[in-house]
Amino acid sequence: MQNSFTSKIWTSSVRKYLPFFLSSILVIGACSKFRVDDYNPYLYGRVKLGKDLKELQVSIVNRVPTNVPNQVAVASGVIYVPDFEQSLIKAFNSDGDLKFVIGNSKEKQDKVKTYNIKLGRIGLVTVSDGDDIYVQSRVSREDAKADKVAENIYAKKSGEFRTEAEEAVPSVILKINDSGKLSQTIYADGIGGSIPFGYVERMEAGNNDLLFVFHRQNGAMRLSIFDESGKLKQKVEGSDFKDSLNQGEAYTWYVDSFISHPDGEYVLGSFSFYETKSGRFKNRKIIKYELKDKRITPIKEIQDPSETLYWVLNNDNFFIWETEVEEGNSIRLQVHDEDGNHVNNIRLNYPPPRGLWRETWMDTNDEIYSMKIRSGYLEIHKWK
């Protein structure tokens, strides 16, 4: 009898407090799922701006440094900085000491190690885990026709955009091995090819000596994947997704970006949809394309034009970049799992003034870097 009475009291209590218990679990789960991890920058290294070979030589216009790279490559504790003024690649340690120079330097100094390789107008630079250096080398403006590239403000990672189209100068990609020797000249159709790259938006060295180049070819954006020998291994274009993107004549779609997993197993494609008549943004879709079996899987649909696909991590999560307009000095990286579920947020807090900060980028180790110019130095900051 006593056990029965106790059981009734327990059952009554459970019924009374169960709704509150379940609500608490839901609230805790929601807070956990959409929590924000605040990242702050710390100074990783800096390079002095100046006129000496051991400094980054830039142009000063109205007391403002110009012709400065938006981002640099960092690998094995070395910072690879393109010196556009001298058409050189300068490798510095984190203390700003020059370790070596790649290119034909006009200034000769006995204490500066130089690898004499003919470089054209330098574009993007990336470095593999094995310390192979990839340099986009452009021909001179007089030797090539300019290719106007259409501007799409919704494809930008931040609020900055230009009002004029850029000129795309044909280029090749030079692979320089860790001994400072030119080992490959890679064209858009691979090593030994003849088709130069036009407009190149992004170039990344992946795992297993892969190279990913997001560029324009025959009027359309393409991701070209090259293996360690410089051979064109695979290419991904908007036409590969057309069966999943067809929405009739009411909407028009455009390629935002293709970003590969660092291992090269699959690519995430980001596509923007606009109303055909009004030109207004409708949504953005992220679709997974598995390279081996060419299987296509819809992953995510985005309604806000300010949110863009940013990076694919080694653990198969991916980042969506979201500019926080209200706060001004921060951006948010939405963390999504491989199924497109929003699992976390990372906020990058830029110390003011925000205008000093330049590009923010990531490497194949999933490290986040930013760069800014301050007090005559190019500063590289790492986020943690």
Side-chain angles (χ1 to χ4, degrees):
M1 178 69 71
Q2 186 175 1
N3 289 339
S4 176
F5 178 73
T6 303
S7 177
K8 289 180 180 180
I9 294 177
W10 172 251
T11 303
S12 176
S13 300
V14 168
R15 288 176 179 173
K16 181 177 180 181
Y17 293 105
L18 184 59
F20 297 101
F21 177 75
L22 292 176
S23 298
S24 299
I25 292 295
L26 291 173
V27 168
I28 292 172
C31 291
S32 175
K33 182 176 181 180
F34 295 102
R35 72 181 185 273
V36 176
D37 293 332
D38 283 299
Y39 280 24
N40 294 289
Y42 69 91
L43 183 62
Y44 178 83
R46 64 178 191 165
V47 176
K48 184 174 177 56
L49 306 179
K51 296 182 179 180
D52 189 79
L53 179 63
K54 295 183 179 181
E55 302 168 330
L56 179 59
Q57 294 161 293
V58 300
S59 297
I60 305 295
V61 179
N62 295 328
R63 299 182 181 179
V64 177
T66 60
N67 215 12
V68 181
N70 283 324
Q71 66 182 58
V72 299
V74 180
S76 302
V78 179
I79 304 168
Y80 296 84
V81 185
D83 190 322
F84 298 131
E85 287 292 303
Q86 308 301 316
S87 195
L88 302 171
I89 302 294
K90 295 183 176 179
F92 297 88
N93 63 20
S94 58
D95 293 326
D97 299 323
L98 183 63
K99 294 174 63 69
F100 59 87
V101 173
I102 298 175
N104 292 323
S105 174
K106 297 177 183 178
E107 305 174 50
K108 302 297 180 183
Q109 294 190 21
D110 295 336
K111 295 183 179 180
V112 178
K113 188 175 184 179
T114 303
Y115 298 103
N116 291 307
I117 297 175
K118 185 178 179 180
L119 303 178
R121 293 175 54 212
I122 298 173
L124 301 175
V125 178
T126 186
V127 181
S128 71
D129 290 339
D131 295 330
D132 292 325
I133 307 166
Y134 294 92
V135 181
Q136 180 193 5
S137 178
R138 298 162 171 159
V139 300
S140 66
R141 190 179 300 271
E142 293 77 15
D143 296 336
K145 294 180 179 180
D147 178 23
K148 292 288 185 180
V149 179
E151 182 77 10
N152 181 3
I153 63 173
Y154 295 111
K156 298 295 182 180
K157 294 188 290 294
S158 66
E160 180 183 354
F161 63 93
R162 298 181 179 89
T163 56
E164 295 181 358
E166 297 177 347
E167 291 183 349
V169 179
S171 59
V172 295
I173 295 173
L174 306 179
K175 181 179 180 180
I176 302 166
N177 63 26
D178 58 354
S179 300
K181 302 292 185 182
L182 176 62
S183 60
Q184 296 171 11
T185 299
I186 303 173
Y187 288 81
D189 49 344
I191 188 170
S194 59
I195 303 173
F197 293 92
Y199 168 68
V200 178
E201 183 168 310
R202 204 176 61 246
M203 182 174 73
E204 289 126 8
N207 299 332
N208 306 314
D209 293 313
L210 295 175
L211 177 68
F212 307 110
V213 184
F214 184 53
H215 63 106
R216 184 176 295 275
Q217 192 75 28
N218 297 325
M221 295 304 294
R222 167 191 295 179
L223 179 68
S224 295
I225 304 174
F226 302 90
D227 63 17
E228 61 180 338
S229 66
K231 180 182 178 181
L232 179 60
K233 183 178 180 181
Q234 202 150 2
K235 57 187 179 183
V236 179
E237 300 174 305
S239 58
D240 296 321
F241 299 79
K242 62 182 180 181
D243 292 338
S244 301
L245 300 174
N246 185 18
Q247 293 194 4
E249 298 180 357
Y251 298 99
T252 304
W253 58 268
Y254 299 93
V255 174
D256 294 324
S257 63
F258 296 125
I259 302 180
S260 175
H261 183 275
D263 289 338
E265 296 177 356
Y266 64 86
V267 169
L268 290 188
S270 175
F271 304 88
S272 290
F273 289 79
Y274 299 86
E275 294 180 0
T276 303
K277 291 185 177 180
S278 66
R280 285 185 293 188
F281 177 85
K282 181 198 176 191
N283 58 29
R284 177 168 286 127
K285 293 185 178 181
I286 298 175
I287 301 175
K288 183 178 182 179
Y289 181 76
E290 298 184 45
L291 295 174
K292 187 175 182 179
D293 57 13
K294 298 184 178 181
R295 184 172 61 175
I296 291 178
T297 307
I299 297 295
K300 188 79 179 177
E301 186 169 307
I302 300 170
Q303 305 300 325
D304 189 340
S306 70
E307 298 177 5
T308 56
L309 177 64
Y310 185 61
W311 192 256
V312 180
L313 287 78
N314 282 280
N315 65 1
D316 293 313
N317 286 352
F318 63 91
F319 285 160
I320 289 179
W321 176 289
E322 179 185 4
T323 303
E324 296 187 320
V325 180
E326 295 83 3
E327 299 183 23
N329 288 325
S330 66
I331 64 97
R332 185 168 64 165
L333 297 176
Q334 301 175 13
V335 185
H336 296 259
D337 65 18
E338 59 183 323
D339 297 319
N341 301 310
H342 189 175
V343 296
N344 196 17
N345 295 290
I346 296 172
R347 180 178 288 116
L348 306 184
N349 296 298
Y350 295 89
R354 180 69 170 90
L356 294 180
W357 293 90
R358 300 174 74 84
E359 190 67 71
T360 295
W361 72 96
M362 297 186 67
D363 63 14
T364 49
N365 296 317
D366 297 337
E367 301 285 1
I368 309 173
Y369 295 91
S370 289
M371 193 163 58
K372 70 176 179 179
I373 298 175
R374 184 176 63 173
S375 303
Y377 285 87
L378 185 71
E379 296 184 348
I380 294 89
H381 293 257
K382 200 171 182 179
W383 294 85
K384 203 170 182 180

